[in-house]
Amino acid sequence: MTVDGSQARYVEGIAPLLPVDERVRAVARVRAGGGLTPASPSPPSAPPAAGGPGFLGVLLNVLSPNITFGRADNAVDWLVFGVGGRGDPGSQASVLHHALTVAVQGAGVRTLVLGVTDKRLLVGATAPVGLLSSSAADERAQADIELLGSVPRTTVAARFGRYRLNWKRLRIDFADGSWLSFHVPLADSGRPLREIAAALSAG
């Protein structure tokens, strides 16, 4: 496997999490796809309010993200980013998306990492760092990865391409019919995502 310097640290972080007979094929630093996402695996704490936000609610939500109108949040996400994933509560996409959402909502800044081995697709997150952390602390954190979930490589399919505002998007389809998307910033190379897709498609 050939990995560029910016991704090598993630291989270093993933390798200790693997059994001795499992090898890394590809890694990529990613962001979760924007837009509508799979339902949470846990039941909602309260039933949704009846009726939608209406045009005014959607418009105000666009003009000021601090103004929320329940379903208006979903409407704005869909208008700008489309669909970032689909899946029923408890589906593979639902479980993985919930795990990565919880990970990045904690204290500190974390980087999401995808890895493909000869056996599994891995979803992980680096150790949290503060916004004002030193570069040395950041480097150590990038190699300290928490495994958030994994699925057998033979039960997923992937494709790389453009979708709305995500010019470099990786879509991963799971055997249960659910799916998730990931992307990288526009200034970053899409090569790591292409390598993830190729590794998942390889025999």
Side-chain angles (χ1 to χ4, degrees):
M1 178 191 67
T2 302
V3 178
D4 64 51
S6 64
Q7 307 296 315
R9 68 187 74 176
Y10 305 123
V11 176
E12 179 185 343
I14 289 174
L17 307 177
L18 305 179
V20 294
D21 61 342
E22 193 170 0
R23 296 290 181 269
V24 178
R25 289 190 173 188
V27 295
R29 176 184 62 193
V30 298
R31 293 178 178 175
L36 301 185
T37 54
S40 171
S42 56
S45 57
F55 175 77
L56 179 60
V58 173
L59 178 62
L60 289 175
N61 191 263
V62 171
L63 297 176
S64 176
N66 294 325
I67 302 174
T68 60
F69 285 85
R71 294 182 189 176
D73 290 335
N74 285 344
V76 171
D77 279 347
W78 182 83
L79 286 170
V80 178
F81 296 108
V83 180
R86 286 197 188 280
D88 294 329
S91 65
Q92 195 64 67
S94 167
V95 171
L96 288 178
H97 185 266
H98 179 71
L100 63 88
T101 299
V102 170
V104 299
Q105 284 180 345
V109 178
R110 306 183 76 179
T111 298
L112 297 178
V113 179
L114 292 182
V116 178
T117 72
D118 47 8
K119 297 181 179 181
R120 294 181 290 166
L121 166 70
L122 310 175
V123 179
T126 61
V129 296
L131 291 176
L132 301 178
S133 299
S134 68
S135 58
D138 289 347
E139 287 295 324
R140 288 192 299 272
Q142 296 301 305
D144 183 7
I145 293 178
E146 175 191 359
L147 183 61
L148 303 177
S150 69
V151 293
R153 188 171 63 86
T154 55
T155 65
V156 297
R159 61 179 182 265
F160 174 79
R162 175 190 172 189
Y163 177 74
R164 294 201 181 185
L165 296 184
N166 294 335
W167 288 73
K168 302 165 186 176
R169 188 177 89 146
L170 175 72
R171 171 171 162 160
I172 297 177
D173 290 89
F174 301 98
D176 62 7
S178 63
W179 60 274
L180 284 177
S181 67
F182 299 90
H183 67 280
V184 294
L186 194 58
D188 288 6
S189 170
R191 178 180 174 185
L193 295 187
R194 290 193 188 93
E195 291 176 345
I196 291 286
L200 288 173
S201 302

